[in-house]
Amino acid sequence: QELTFLSKREILLAYKRFSELLPKEERENACSARVPKSQILTLPELRANPFQHRICHVFSTSESGDDSMSFEDFLDMLSVFSDSATSDIKSHYAFRIFDFDNDGTLDRRDLEQLVNCLTGQGEESRLSSAEMEQLIQNILEESDIDKDGTINLSEFQHVVSRSPDFASSFKIVL
């Protein structure tokens, strides 16, 4: 409880939800088990999230890179997405989720993937290359304070700090 932004009740509920994702024979050892990414993605709270794969990737501590989650990973994820988590914590993880190539900056390719996730991959919803270029240009003009063509964590946090609804929209409630 001291290591998360969750109450005792929320942790117990998280444990119940986590163990339900395991096969029956593994439920007794839920604390040491890993739930495959495919099972994590069945959670209704993640199913509709356009960043579901990135969320699993960012919170998984799997050595094999399969994005499976331990109970601790699962708790970390729920803690960051809880109402009690600070804006700084939320924006730090949002930045990591949006940093598709994991290089510590949001460049044009990250921003393009971000926009595609938000607009959907369908033909009718996809932006034209001119619209995409204009949108990315607008994002960089608004956010890239040092004008290096990328958005670093502090620039991202600066933009997010001016968005009053960010913290309340960046959440998962079990």
Side-chain angles (χ1 to χ4, degrees):
Q1 197 175 333
E2 288 183 18
L3 300 175
T4 70
F5 293 100
L6 302 171
S7 67
K8 182 177 180 181
R9 191 187 67 73
E10 290 169 319
I11 292 170
L12 292 170
L13 178 59
Y15 184 79
K16 181 178 182 291
R17 291 290 299 277
F18 182 81
S19 59
E20 287 168 354
L21 295 171
L22 290 165
K24 283 191 174 41
E25 62 276 7
E26 287 182 41
R27 289 186 183 164
E28 285 173 30
N29 303 323
C31 278
S32 58
R34 294 194 75 82
V35 170
K37 175 182 172 180
S38 58
Q39 280 300 105
I40 298 288
L41 294 179
T42 65
L43 289 168
E45 297 83 2
L46 281 180
R47 232 190 338 243
N49 191 308
F51 300 102
Q52 56 179 226
H53 296 284
R54 286 294 304 160
I55 291 169
C56 286
H57 181 74
V58 165
F59 287 96
S60 171
T61 57
S62 169
E63 306 262 323
S64 67
D66 64 0
D67 294 346
S68 64
M69 284 194 189
S70 66
F71 179 60
E72 208 170 295
D73 297 341
F74 189 69
L75 264 190
D76 285 345
M77 175 184 76
L78 294 178
S79 178
V80 167
F81 282 103
S82 77
D83 277 332
S84 313
T86 64
S87 265
D88 266 3
I89 296 278
K90 287 179 178 289
S91 58
H92 171 82
Y93 279 94
F95 182 83
R96 288 188 54 203
I97 290 165
F98 301 157
D99 181 13
F100 289 88
D101 58 9
N102 301 313
D103 68 351
T105 63
L106 303 184
D107 58 20
R108 288 179 169 276
R109 293 209 3 248
D110 291 320
L111 294 173
E112 190 171 328
Q113 281 185 271
L114 172 60
V115 170
N116 283 334
C117 278
L118 291 171
T119 58
Q121 301 296 325
E123 280 305 309
E124 67 287 342
S125 61
R126 181 171 274 142
L127 297 182
S128 71
S129 37
E131 291 169 324
M132 179 67 82
E133 184 50 42
Q134 184 60 58
L135 182 56
I136 288 174
Q137 200 52 48
N138 292 351
I139 293 170
L140 287 171
E141 277 173 27
E142 185 75 26
S143 315
D144 182 17
I145 298 166
D146 62 11
K147 302 297 176 215
D148 67 350
T150 64
I151 301 167
N152 63 34
L153 177 60
S154 62
E155 290 168 334
F156 181 79
Q157 288 180 318
H158 176 72
V159 169
V160 166
S161 72
R162 298 185 324 209
S163 170
D165 57 345
F166 170 75
S168 60
S169 61
F170 194 78
K171 71 176 179 187
I172 294 175
V173 180
L174 283 182

